Amino acid sequence: MPKKNLNKLREKIPLLEDIGKDGRVWSDLCKQYGVENPDPPWRITLESTCEVLNEGACALPVLERRDEEDKLSEEIYKDVPYPERQLLALAHSMIKKGFFREEELGVQMEKVYKRLSAGT
Amino acid sequence: MSKSDKHDHNAAPMVDEISDFEVLEVAVRELCIEKGLFTQEDHNEWTEYMHTLGPLPAGRLVAKAWLDPEYKQLCIDDPVKASLEVGIDWINSMPSKFGTPSDYCNPRILVDTPTLKHVVVCTLCSCYPRPILGQSPEWYRTPNYRRRMVRWPRQVLSEFGLQLPEDVEIRVADSNQKTRYVVMPIRPDGTEGWTEDQLTEIVTRDCLIGVALPRADRKADDKRPIHKAVHPYGH
Amino acid sequence: MSKSHHVEKATGIGDPQCFKGEAGKPKFGVGDKVRIRNLPDIFYTRSQMYLREAEATVVKLVYESPPAEDEAWDNTDSPEWFYSVLFRQTDLWPDYPQKFAGDTLETELSERWLEPL
């Protein structure tokens, strides 16, 4: 990866950094609620998102995504466990590639949170 | 009324809390759809397929081969055809109907012998025989495993609890192109007279990657510690 | 050839199976000794650095396919033979312990990466 792009990738994204710091990871939730499933329910849908991004228009090729995930996992998100880290890295790559903005993601998260809290 | 009130007291426990990560996963997916990067239908189709995946078919393939020398030969000569007998169609069961860069349709079964032990790695990313073995474990994806397995295989294997004598050749298969490897270990002692179902239970995921050997008394993989990379990127 | 063309061609047949018969006569056979070329990889490759200039033995002709260097750009016009080649670990890593001189590593390379020894 050219140095300029690598530096850009390494710039932190406050929204994602906060989620990495404050978000409750699956292993903690499992302990609290006595759940034994090793994977959070969203892991499969996350994997599917990664797959479909590599298909058709191929917005994010698989090797590029994995390469960026490796870099981000060793730096910005190194203290976040897997698969939470994979999710943060994907969101990070998508923002850095300009598919959506950090603010847009924040707004969308608010909407999703309201819906999930009300809908169940 | 909280979520849990709707559930019967005997139901399996569930996490009654919406985490930021859960919200983030949905939000990323919805934005991708809104931006036209893929459709909800494409996504649903993949999710449905992913739910069918796991290590059991590969375990059964090995168990069958242990019991049937002709089938074992088929595993070596035509793994795509051999996979059909354990319910896996490498070509047509995937939503794409031809494979993807993660799942090219060229499986290969690496057959261990008393003097040859195979182990699989993908140094470039984390290519894995997903159609027949399910999602790769976390340690398989770490740069630590990927960089060190090709360089110090005996040391890495011993960290997995597997020490092999000098006269056993260790052969590392680096899955860098379109072949997806599955290891066929040797049938362990103490399994004489076992059925295919019994044998399938001891051929765990780690045995099929090659970092463990099947044992008559073990039906689940040991928990693996995750090591951080010794030399991170940029160093 | 566009990516959609490749999709059409591979559907129901599989990738790399859909390129069968397109690479011509293979230049190497099982048992041949080869050296891995150190070609420049300006844009994209899947041939790892640690194999460059090492000696190996062809152990299997695996399939025909466009090389990764072309496929990354959706160029599927020139499929090549792919070979599974076997290295001795002591040839790859100078400090690999001699008492484990029997240890090996197997991986795949397309024809352009191999030269006869």
Side-chain angles (χ1 to χ4, degrees):
Chain A
M1 178 182 290
K3 191 137 189 145
K4 196 176 147 202
N5 294 355
L6 186 57
N7 288 341
K8 193 177 168 204
L9 179 74
R10 281 175 168 147
E11 283 165 16
K12 295 182 174 178
I13 297 172
L15 171 69
L16 299 177
E17 253 202 309
D18 288 348
I19 296 172
K21 275 191 199 122
D22 306 330
R24 298 205 61 203
V25 299
W26 182 246
S27 51
D28 290 347
L29 293 170
C30 284
K31 258 180 236 153
Q32 181 181 336
Y33 292 94
V35 172
E36 282 177 10
N37 190 341
D39 293 322
W42 48 263
R43 184 176 171 197
I44 289 214
T45 37
L46 169 65
E47 291 284 352
S48 304
T49 300
C50 293
E51 283 305 324
V52 284
L53 281 171
N54 182 65
E55 296 227 310
C58 202
L60 184 60
V62 59
L63 202 68
E64 197 173 333
R65 172 177 61 78
R66 288 289 292 114
D67 186 46
E68 296 193 358
E69 185 190 327
D70 284 345
K71 289 185 170 77
L72 295 167
S73 296
E74 289 187 348
E75 296 181 5
I76 303 179
Y77 306 118
K78 66 178 188 308
D79 296 324
V80 183
Y82 176 87
E84 282 81 3
R85 201 170 59 209
Q86 181 189 354
L87 171 59
L88 289 175
L90 174 68
H92 192 112
S93 291
M94 295 304 282
I95 289 172
K96 289 296 175 193
K97 287 181 192 311
F99 288 115
F100 44 77
R101 288 175 292 110
E102 181 184 359
E103 299 72 37
E104 272 179 293
L105 181 60
V107 170
Q108 190 68 24
M109 281 186 70
E110 299 253 338
K111 281 191 211 162
V112 172
Y113 183 78
K114 276 189 194 139
R115 205 169 64 223
L116 291 181
S117 322
T120 52
Chain B
M1 184 163 84
S2 84
K3 242 202 258 186
S4 57
D5 291 341
K6 292 180 194 163
H7 290 266
D8 164 294
H9 287 291
N10 298 319
M14 59 180 289
V15 171
D16 193 6
E17 182 175 324
I18 300 162
S19 80
D20 289 351
F21 292 102
E22 182 181 351
V23 174
L24 177 62
E25 188 278 322
V26 179
V28 167
R29 174 161 33 106
E30 289 182 350
L31 278 179
C32 289
I33 293 168
E34 192 185 304
K35 303 286 176 186
L37 302 178
F38 53 76
T39 66
Q40 182 69 56
E41 290 70 36
D42 292 341
H43 194 277
N44 291 348
E45 203 182 352
W46 265 101
T47 302
E48 212 171 290
Y49 171 65
M50 298 282 207
H51 275 293
T52 67
L53 300 179
L56 271 178
R60 184 164 295 278
L61 176 141
V62 168
K64 274 174 92 70
W66 282 344
L67 293 168
D68 176 355
E70 266 180 50
Y71 182 72
K72 182 176 176 180
Q73 196 57 46
L74 183 66
C75 291
I76 297 166
D77 298 338
D78 192 346
V80 171
K81 201 169 166 195
S83 299
L84 287 173
E85 293 194 29
V86 293
I88 299 302
D89 183 338
W90 281 79
I91 292 156
N92 295 302
S93 54
M94 225 174 295
S96 66
K97 310 285 183 237
F98 62 87
T100 71
S102 314
D103 317 275
Y104 285 115
C105 310
N106 198 56
R108 188 170 155 204
I109 313 298
L110 304 172
V111 181
D112 286 351
T113 71
T115 55
L116 177 63
K117 175 83 204 94
H118 293 89
V119 59
V120 180
V121 65
C122 172
T123 51
L124 287 169
C125 37
S126 41
C127 297
Y128 191 76
R130 195 167 58 168
I132 201 164
L133 201 48
Q135 303 290 350
S136 58
E138 178 186 7
W139 54 261
Y140 184 86
R141 300 164 57 101
T142 58
N144 184 297
Y145 176 81
R146 284 153 40 207
R147 289 174 200 160
R148 292 172 65 237
M149 182 50 91
V150 288
R151 183 85 174 78
W152 297 286
R154 285 182 185 263
Q155 191 185 327
V156 177
L157 286 175
S158 71
E159 289 164 16
F160 278 91
L162 185 57
Q163 254 122 13
L164 294 165
E166 275 174 46
D167 58 357
V168 172
E169 169 187 341
I170 295 183
R171 184 170 296 178
V172 178
D174 187 354
S175 163
N176 67 328
Q177 302 280 355
K178 294 189 174 179
T179 295
R180 298 291 171 262
Y181 303 105
V182 175
V183 175
M184 182 185 291
I186 303 171
R187 180 172 172 177
D189 294 339
T191 59
E192 294 73 20
W194 283 27
T195 64
E196 185 182 304
D197 285 348
Q198 283 175 297
L199 291 169
T200 301
E201 284 193 332
I202 59 165
V203 190
T204 61
R205 180 199 66 203
D206 287 3
C207 300
L208 296 154
I209 300 173
V211 295
L213 294 176
R215 277 198 336 232
D217 61 348
R218 184 170 58 200
K219 291 180 184 169
D221 286 320
D222 300 330
K223 207 164 160 49
R224 305 298 183 191
I226 304 300
H227 300 287
K228 293 239 159 83
V230 182
H231 301 292
Y233 279 93
H235 290 264
Chain C
M1 191 184 284
S2 71
K3 186 152 181 164
S4 57
H5 193 139
H6 164 230
V7 168
E8 207 171 284
K9 172 182 173 142
T11 299
I13 298 167
D15 183 350
Q17 288 88 334
C18 64
F19 300 106
K20 195 173 177 175
E22 292 186 16
K25 196 172 168 289
K27 197 169 152 192
F28 301 99
V30 171
D32 286 357
K33 306 277 182 209
V34 292
R35 189 196 311 277
I36 313 309
R37 290 178 195 271
N38 191 7
L39 300 175
D41 41 34
I42 303 170
F43 296 112
Y44 179 74
T45 183
R46 293 190 66 86
S47 301
Q48 301 92 321
M49 288 309 295
Y50 75 89
L51 305 174
R52 308 291 174 90
E53 294 181 353
E55 292 176 12
T57 306
V58 173
V59 288
K60 195 173 163 70
L61 278 68
V62 279
Y63 46 80
E64 296 157 77
S65 165
E69 294 79 15
D70 289 353
E71 211 164 35
W73 309 99
D74 286 340
N75 175 2
T76 55
D77 293 343
S78 319
E80 285 180 24
W81 272 101
F82 275 68
Y83 302 87
S84 205
V85 295
L86 191 68
F87 299 82
R88 288 192 305 192
Q89 287 281 23
T90 49
D91 285 343
L92 291 174
W93 318 106
D95 61 351
Y96 202 88
Q98 276 303 322
K99 69 169 173 173
F100 301 127
D103 288 356
T104 52
L105 182 137
E106 186 168 343
T107 194
E108 293 175 351
L109 289 148
S110 71
E111 196 162 272
R112 67 174 66 180
W113 288 93
L114 307 181
E115 59 184 358
L117 257 187

